Amino acid sequence: MNGLLLGAIYALIALGYTMVYGVLRLINFAHGEVFMLGSYAALFTSWALGFSPDALRGGIEKPSTWMTLAVMLLVSMLACGLVGVLIERLAYRPMRSQPRTASLITAIGVSLFLQYAGGLFLPQSPPPSISEQVNPYRKDVIKMTLRPAPAEVVQEAATARKAAEDAQKVYDAAEKKDKDAGLKSNPETDKLGSAFRDLDRKAMRSEGKVVQQSVMLNIPFGQLIMLVTTVALMLILRHIVLYTKAGRAMRAVSHDFDSASLMGVNVNNVVTTTFLIGSALAGAGAMMYATILRTNLTPFLGVTPGVKAFVAAVLGGIGNIPGAVLGGLLMGVVETLVVWLGFSGYKDAVAFVVLIAVLLFRPGGLLGSSKVEKV
């Protein structure tokens, strides 16, 4: 489940890379910084909703609802969408007629600018993080039994628990009788209490055996909601691309930029829409990354997830939307498996190993074209 959620977040970011590349043949290296700004937008929204450190100081738990998460998600998506449009309008559009190398250098420059400009204005010392109290489902877990424990172990636990409950009833009755009689201490009642506690411990050990010998799947409810939200966003994107006028225009520009322009497609609006949607999806991923995974925020937060999402886009076939989703999910699952195997120190290196392997054996990606382009 953790791998799927992480992979879904990578997929949301990778969609931005692949959409922009599909339309402009440009790798938007500033996309990771758009992701970073989305995380901060979610942080500031949580503070505005009453979850700032000052508001929570004192240990008082503040109630949160699904609306809190929804507002943070929408604000983060809106903020990232606007940032993406501004980047396209101010940095990339003036360079569109220049050689592709100039656009790539511009993208790197925008990325560095956002990192270091963020260091001037965004809080970073100590690194802030979104309070876990924002998530109202943090304590809810869905438990599914994939393989039950042997029947005799389950029966033993049930018998032990029944004996403990019977002993507790006897002890409670004896204690009440002593209290009604005005007795402060009764050796017989103390023996019943000791016997009850022994049986309760035995029942707990038996129940522990049931847990150890069964295979359970524990799904945090908050993660499940975020995964469902991610799938919903991807389905909305699919509908936009396949069944709307804007989507048809995006596909036309992606197929042939100049011909689409000659056929009357407003390519500027198409490119702006592409940046808006791709950046908004990165904002959704940023909100989930900062809220559910509770990462400390810094102006350089977007570097590593951005690189991994770029590798995910390359893995799936950059320019291919289903490929970006597939690549993101694979990256998340593989990274989680590496951590599960006890090699957490190498989890970031996995992205580069995957990138090298893809470039060596399948440069077009799993679902991409076999045609190799120099960028």
Side-chain angles (χ1 to χ4, degrees), residues 90-137:
L90 300 178
Y92 296 148
R93 187 175 297 185
M95 305 299 295
R96 197 178 296 169
S97 59
Q98 301 299 318
R100 194 175 299 179
T101 307
S103 297
L104 288 174
I105 294 173
T106 302
I108 295 172
V110 172
S111 172
L112 294 174
F113 171 77
L114 291 177
Q115 288 175 11
Y116 288 95
L120 295 176
F121 301 105
L122 297 174
Q124 56 176 325
S125 182
S129 63
I130 295 176
S131 169
E132 66 172 1
Q133 293 189 30
V134 167
N135 180 8
Y137 310 109

